[in-house]
Amino acid sequence: VRIPGVDMAPLGKVRIMHNLFLFLAILGDITQKGYEKKRSKLLSPYIPQTQADPAVQKEHRNQTPAPSAAQTSAPSKYHRTRSGGARDERYRSDIHTEAVQAALAKHKEQKMALPMPTKRRSTFVQSPADACTPPDTSSASEDEGSLRRQAALSAALQQSLQNAESWINRSIQGSSTSSSASSTLSHGEVKGTSGSLADVFANTRIENFSAPPDVTTTTSSSSSSSSIRPANIDLPASGIVKGMHKGSNRSSLMDTADGVPVNSRVSTKIQQLLNTLKRPKRPPLKEFFVDDSEEIVEVPQPDPNQPKPEGRQMTPVKGEPLGVICNWPPALESALQRWGTTQAKCPCLTALDVTGKPVYTLTYGKLWSRSLKLAYTLLNKLGTKNEPVLKSGDRVALVYPNNDPVMFMVAFYGCLLAEVIPVPIEVPLTRKDAGGQQIGFLLGSCGVALALTSEVCLKGLPKTQNGEIVQFKGWPRLKWVVTDSKYLSKPPKDWQPHISPAGTEPAYIEYKTSKEGSVMGVTVSRLAMLSHCQALSQACNYSEGETVVNVLDFKKDAGLWHGMFANVMNKMHTISVPYSVMKTCPLSWVQRVHAHKAKVALVKCRDLHWAMMAHRDQRDVSLSSLRMLIVTDGANPWSVSSCDAFLSLFQSHGLKPEAICPCATSAEAMTVAIRRPGVPGAPLPGRAILSMNGLSYGVIRVNTEDKNSALTVQDVGHVMPGMMCIVRPDGPPQLCKTDEIGEICVSSRTGGMMYFGLAGVTKSTFEVIPVNSTGSPVGDVPFIRSGLLGFVGPGSLVFVVGKMDGLLMVSGRRHNADDIVATGLAVESIKTVYRGRIAVFSVSVFYDERIVVVAEQRPDASEEDSFQWMSRVLQAIDSIHQVGVYCLALVPANTLPKTPLGGIHISQTKQLFLEGSLHPCNILMCPHTCVTNLPKPRQKQPGVGPASVMVGNLVAGKRIAQAAGRDLGQIEENDLVRKHQFLAEILQWRAQATPDHVLFMLLNAKGTTVCTASCLQLHKRAERIASVLGDKGHLNAGDNVVLLYPPGQELTLINAFYGCLYAGCIPVTVRPPHAQNLTATLPTVRMIVDVSKAVCILTTQTLMRLLRSREAAAAVDVKTWPTIIDTDDLPRKRLPQLYKPPTPEMLAYLDFSVSTTGMLTGVKMSHSAVNALCRAIKLQCELYSSRQIAICLDPYCGLGFALWCLCSVYSGHQSILIPPMELENNLFLWLSTVNQYKIRDTFCSYSVMELCTKGLGNQVEVLKTRGINLSCIRTCVVVAEERPRIALQLSFSKLFKDIGLSPRAVSTTFGSRVNVAICLQGTSGPDPTTVYVDLKSLRHDRVRLVERGAPQSLLLSESGKILPGVKVVIVNPETKGPVGDSHLGEIWVNSPHTASGYYTIYDSETLQADHFNTRLSFGDAAQTLWARTGYLGFVRRTELTAATGERHDALYVVGALDETLELRGLRYHPIDIETSVSRIHRSIAECAVFTWTNLLVVVVELCGSEQEALDLVPLVTNVVLEEHYLIVGVVVVVDPGVIPINSRGEKQRMHLRDSFLADQLDPIYVAYNM
């Protein structure tokens, strides 16, 4: 075909290349030298003459894996081994391979250094060779060699049209630099990694990320983030606490702005990733409109330069009319009757055995008599006379294996004669076949109750224990009928089947799997079946007695139409070659054609390839008898190369060029077009060489500019009888223009009539009336959509460029899955993946389709090879199709779900991918390149002045967001306690007034009381400790003393605390080091000792030995500990007099804790603050000496310490102490204690609540039998310094509701470093309220209340009631002005028990003032001194009434400012991202996120098997993109328990970050998203 206006000259070059490759493919045993000689001779006209560097040539020759000399002697053996690796080569096109290699070469120049993922070796050890070469230690020299080898190879094979020499040199220089880089780089160059990373970061701006102040660095300029903490105490986070290398200079560490040693392996990888991301993205991000209330995400507008169709509207094309032939039968069954009775001896069908030898021939007579027997049996012998099982029109399943065409044919015609409707399906192999459930759905919707099968097949079906056939998943209950002759009854002489002339009643149902995986039944009428046979007979010019070799599936499509229908119509002889024979003997069909002198063969491209691979074994076959070689997947555009290659190989065996007849078929439209056999000597039809870019816009453009991205398509012949038109694939069926690609529709008597039982889909597929551009219908003839995409070319030739099922719509452009598979395969893949096992599909993520490529990896492929192949596939697809691949995954061999004939079940693969059960062994995600429709990053508006905010609020009538607890002044206490200003005095008073009243009871794991302390005992023990401090420690008043007591020794801790107060020393309680984990825990202890300037440590003998042990010396300097005093045996001495502080403003104790951001902060608590704190708690919880409370908390800092050590002495109530450590040995301990003592108020931490929820979840019945009842609980308070964890609280409440726990009882507290107790639910006052807020607004620092169930909504709960004497105001952290009701801001607090300042090495006055004594910039409360909590939250006035009688103001905590991540100009709370991630897969135990240099890093703990590790990578990326509009930079999969959690149950994200960057996590897998 001459395509008008096209210069055909450039095609000459391509043709020559093509011939060269075919020629070289034929000469398999050519030597390396000969190969090069021939190649250069053929290519010499096209290559610019340059003298290549002889050294390079020499190296290339040595290093190319040259075919061994043995080849020449044993060519057949060589070919057999080669054929193993290249089974399914439907897509192979040498022109395309050249194009891909050239595209890759172009990429090579802009050398792309992708960081290779890190994988733990144990995860996927596939072979011993694999195990010996760990991926991350390949020495640089090896690396260079492989690069050089590759460079040389590529130069020889790919660079046909480019000056090769400069290219190779460049490549080699590039590779040599990798030796100076870190040895873990996979390939490519990263210069400068040995220098400081800081230089690199200075210049790194990831495109379209506005760079906000990086809140993740340890020193920061933004006032709202990390500067809230004293800078000089940052060190524990990134310095010593993390077990940094000894002697690494800490200050230089901090200077790199990332807190990680520069030579760390992880940082090099991330650096590579950043370098990759620095390359400009292909499509620029469109300007998005950012509304004030929410971001609007939209698909980028179409490119104005894209090609648009310019032709006129097409007119439907008429096919050739059916000729009038007088002896055509009135129905297909009549043809069978005719031949069966008149030509009984003629062969009809020959079946082959496993070796490919003919084993049985069915004659027309046998077919007729056996079909009759079956028809009679079906109608008369299955039920009783009055109640037959089958009546005409019923549907019957045909279940026959692919190697038994004879039984199938008899069954099929038997059904036709009995007028029941056969539904051929595949033989189910297991209870849960891929797609089996959908087949069951089809059978159910067709109302099938009977299945016909052969005896052999029935025996092979999976059975239950008692020998019945298993119930296949999703299938209706079936009755199985065996159709072997011996079980059939002979019909009486007078019985005749009813054969009427063909009409529109259904004849059979052919199943068809849709793109989504659902199975539909295409119903074909008897008339269509007959007309189709007539049309095929005419098109293929069939005549009686011809022999046809059929390699296709005889149950459906062309195999059924030609091999079972047309042969009976024309009394032909079919030889059926099953798939199983082809697998063992790929040449069998060629041998059958030769042996039987067959005139026609029905094949797929796959069969052509297999024959080419094996043709060496058969020199003497002849194909000269063939007049038609019907290639039935001619609809795959890549079939052209298979046809060409097969022709060039077998032309010498007598194959005529005009015999190759591609055809296009579909289940709905049946045969759409077929090329008629040509006239010998006539010119062969031309090809269309189309531009891939044009195709992606649905436009036919002849490819002229870039030969790399061309698609060569052959025609599939002329239209069949009837009409054909092309309509737009999406939207209404509008007729296409002449230069537009669309879906092919046909209108004829030969198509299907409906999808059985699906009226709606039927209408849109089988009854389409095309419309013109104005939308009015063209004619009234209904068309059938064929599911094929293509166009009608000159001379009414039909061209097919793809299938609707393989259509991927990405950003408004169309791509074809087959084309992408072909590009992937053209990247030299033999070492890495299996050729026929690649699946391409699209998944919908973040408002667009994203392309996913999944391939099966060979077991012997190395990590390095696979990664190399993957990165090159990405580049090739990018170059040729101009589309990014979202995810490329390699799975182990044989793990993708298979279709019955061995292909890949695409929809099932997609299903597995989306639910995270594909189990890849390698994965590469490229969201940074693909996702171009993110909203624009938010630019912060210039701050509005405080005055205008004030005026704005007043005008809007908003109340300022503030709230307060009850006023302490109004509450009168009739207690003697008011007389005493100091806790020590209160204890002395209690020791006199109520000496035997027990204040503390300490329990062990068994629930028995280990020891108690009455008022007097506590007083006496405290006196002894005070005297020891004076005698042994020689301490003076005001000295700091560290108290170091292990769990189980908490009473000693309390004694020591009051001992210090008696002696006038300042106690500092410290969590003891963990004996099993000294390196991680001891440095923190050491740091607190140093920072607090303690002069003495009080501890037990065991811990004293531990502090001085050799193990401790490995972690810290043990020689410089201050005086250590053990308090195990105390002398019975008492102090002459107890110390009394001169004023209540004097320091009482220091409270040290490491915040979640890894900062160590100590705050000073004065005596007056201690008194006020105890009083506020006493009033809120109504604590009196007659009350008992149970505490299961850590006693070392914060509110936990106050409840544990201080409150009982102040209020006189009894505290039952349950060390949380003991719960690990006995989960029932806490709840059974509450039950035993009938406790009304209990306090715990989130970690305790989680332990009980997870550990006792399935033991509620056990709790009941033990008689545990929690109805006594009035308040169960979780002590926390974070946003309430509602999900955990709810599951706890629901779980223990059955044993009496009231859901109203559970609540939480809120405190911070500046004030340890701001809110606490207490006994009176309304229940905690909850609200739903919009997550998107929250990222913009706004609160928008939404209804329950709104998309992107977040449930928040009030953090308990504000304590008496506490005032709270919500402030804008930048302007320091108050904000309005329900607005987000920083929570500031004013209260008598606020700490009096930080205790730091150098008192930083400015910070002190800013955090503890700061004023609002304006407003009524501007005179008050406030302390900044560092937490974001809001106050909302509710409809409830507070204890004071006024309306209740609820305080909602959103999260710590330090923790927030600033990304894309928005503020994210890590917990929100973590919640999303934790939901996606059952195997995620815990999750934590942090940022590093603007990359979001997600760490997930995997509690499943390690093979699930890589499933999590795409799921994590998808969910964060969908729900948070963020692209994940790195996904780290680790073992359970790796994410560090502090005693309060909070995640230590900065510790995690430091460990990750210092490469100390031992991750299972680290994926770097591109």
Side-chain angles (χ1 to χ4, degrees), residues 290-295 938 1335-1342 1384 1465-1467:
V290 180
D291 180 22
D292 190 43
S293 63
E294 67 188 68
E295 315 116 331
R938 176 174 75 144
L1335 259 178
K1336 292 198 293 260
S1337 300
L1338 211 52
R1339 291 173 209 146
H1340 284 277
D1341 288 338
R1342 287 195 304 270
L1384 190 70
L1466 302 173
R1467 191 193 302 281

Side-chain angles (χ1 to χ4, degrees), residues 1041-1045 1053 1056-1057 1060 1067-1071 1096-1098:
V1041 177
V1042 163
L1043 312 184
L1044 206 57
Y1045 289 95
L1053 172 74
F1057 177 82
C1060 290
V1068 184
T1069 49
V1070 179
R1071 163 183 304 283
C1096 168
I1097 298 176
L1098 290 182

Side-chain angles (χ1 to χ4, degrees), residues 125 299 322 345 712 824 827 946 950 1117 1123 1293 1331 1361 1374 1492:
V125 177
V299 180
L322 264 181
K345 293 276 191 292
T712 306
V827 175
M950 185 71 200
D1117 179 2
T1123 318
S1293 309
V1331 288
K1361 298 289 164 286
E1374 269 99 35
W1492 188 64

Side-chain angles (χ1 to χ4, degrees), residues 424 508-512 520-523 556-557 560-561 667:
Y508 70 96
I509 292 175
E510 177 173 317
Y511 82 84
K512 176 229 180 204
M520 277 118 59
V522 176
T523 313
K556 54 190 298 203
D557 213 81
L560 179 66
W561 307 329

Side-chain angles (χ1 to χ4, degrees), residues 423 442 445-446 508-512 519-524 754-758 762 766:
V423 185
L442 170 74
S445 62
C446 291
Y508 70 96
I509 292 175
E510 177 173 317
Y511 82 84
K512 176 229 180 204
V519 173
M520 277 118 59
V522 176
T523 313
V524 180
M754 63 176 179
Y755 291 127
F756 194 93
L758 302 170
T762 294
F766 292 93

Side-chain angles (χ1 to χ4, degrees), residues 225-265:
S225 58
S226 5
S227 58
I228 294 180
R229 300 286 167 258
N232 36 22
I233 303 206
D234 297 1
L235 295 176
S238 25
I240 312 174
V241 182
K242 283 305 146 302
M244 229 359 116
H245 311 298
K246 270 212 318 226
S248 65
N249 175 342
R250 217 180 301 148
S251 62
S252 69
L253 243 179
M254 303 315 297
D255 295 343
T256 54
D258 53 22
V260 61
V262 165
N263 56 3
S264 143
R265 152 175 141 185

Side-chain angles (χ1 to χ4, degrees), residues 480-799:
W480 294 82
V481 175
V482 174
T483 61
D484 297 57
S485 288
K486 56 185 175 187
Y487 298 113
L488 303 179
S489 319
K490 202 170 178 188
K493 291 270 188 293
D494 58 349
W495 187 83
Q496 279 300 325
H498 174 248
I499 301 177
S500 57
T504 55
E505 63 280 357
Y508 70 96
I509 292 175
E510 177 173 317
Y511 82 84
K512 176 229 180 204
T513 308
S514 76
K515 186 176 181 176
E516 290 73 43
S518 53
V519 173
M520 277 118 59
V522 176
T523 313
V524 180
S525 69
R526 290 179 65 227
L527 182 60
M529 179 167 72
L530 180 71
S531 312
H532 191 212
C533 279
Q534 293 169 348
L536 288 179
S537 305
Q538 176 176 310
C540 303
N541 205 358
Y542 284 144
S543 56
E544 290 179 23
E546 282 190 319
T547 304
V548 178
V549 172
N550 177 23
V551 195
L552 309 174
D553 180 2
F554 51 74
K555 294 194 291 298
K556 54 190 298 203
D557 213 81
L560 179 66
W561 307 329
H562 291 265
M564 296 269 160
F565 298 168
N567 72 330
V568 170
M569 177 98 165
N570 297 294
K571 200 197 73 172
M572 303 194 302
H573 176 198
T574 301
I575 291 143
S576 189
V577 183
Y579 175 68
S580 51
V581 171
M582 287 294 293
K583 282 210 299 210
T584 51
C585 172
L587 255 189
S588 51
W589 72 269
V590 179
Q591 292 159 350
R592 288 301 107 215
V593 171
H594 171 75
H596 295 268
K597 304 264 181 295
K599 289 278 199 291
V600 179
L602 288 154
V603 296
K604 287 191 159 181
C605 298
R606 176 194 66 203
D607 311 318
L608 301 181
H609 268 292
W610 289 11
M612 287 190 283
M613 287 300 161
H615 104 281
R616 292 261 137 165
D617 309 344
Q618 283 288 324
R619 293 285 164 87
D620 49 354
V621 291
S622 164
L623 297 181
S624 54
S625 61
L626 273 186
R627 60 180 188 81
M628 281 188 90
L629 176 61
I630 300 177
V631 183
T632 54
D633 52 358
N636 179 345
W638 298 94
S639 60
V640 55
S641 50
S642 315
C643 296
D644 291 352
F646 187 78
L647 176 64
S648 62
L649 191 52
F650 281 95
Q651 206 161 356
S652 56
H653 293 270
L655 177 64
K656 299 185 267 298
E658 65 275 5
I660 293 183
C661 299
C663 72
T665 63
S666 86
E668 292 86 352
M670 299 167 81
T671 305
V672 174
I674 183 166
R675 195 189 286 173
R676 320 298 195 253
V679 184
L684 289 172
R687 306 278 166 80
I689 296 177
L690 306 176
S691 140
M692 287 259 193
N693 187 42
L695 283 178
S696 74
Y697 291 107
V699 178
I700 302 163
R701 288 290 176 269
V702 175
N703 186 56
T704 47
E705 65 290 353
D706 178 8
K707 90 172 188 19
N708 290 346
S709 53
L711 178 67
T712 306
V713 198
Q714 64 180 349
D715 69 277
V716 286
H718 289 90
V719 185
M720 297 292 282
M723 306 266 283
M724 173 184 286
C725 68
I726 314 286
V727 302
R728 296 261 171 93
D730 34 19
Q734 187 182 331
L735 283 174
C736 287
K737 298 190 171 161
T738 46
D739 60 343
E740 199 174 358
I741 305 275
E743 184 174 5
I744 298 174
C745 296
V746 294
S747 168
S748 67
R749 296 162 57 189
T750 62
M753 56 192 273
M754 63 176 179
Y755 291 127
F756 194 93
L758 302 170
V761 205
T762 294
K763 194 159 185 59
S764 58
T765 306
F766 292 93
E767 300 162 27
V768 174
I769 307 278
V771 298
N772 60 21
S773 52
T774 60
S776 44
V778 179
D780 51 2
V781 186
F783 280 76
I784 299 173
R785 286 183 182 268
S786 68
L788 301 175
L789 291 168
F791 60 97
V792 180
S796 296
L797 284 174
V798 182
F799 289 86

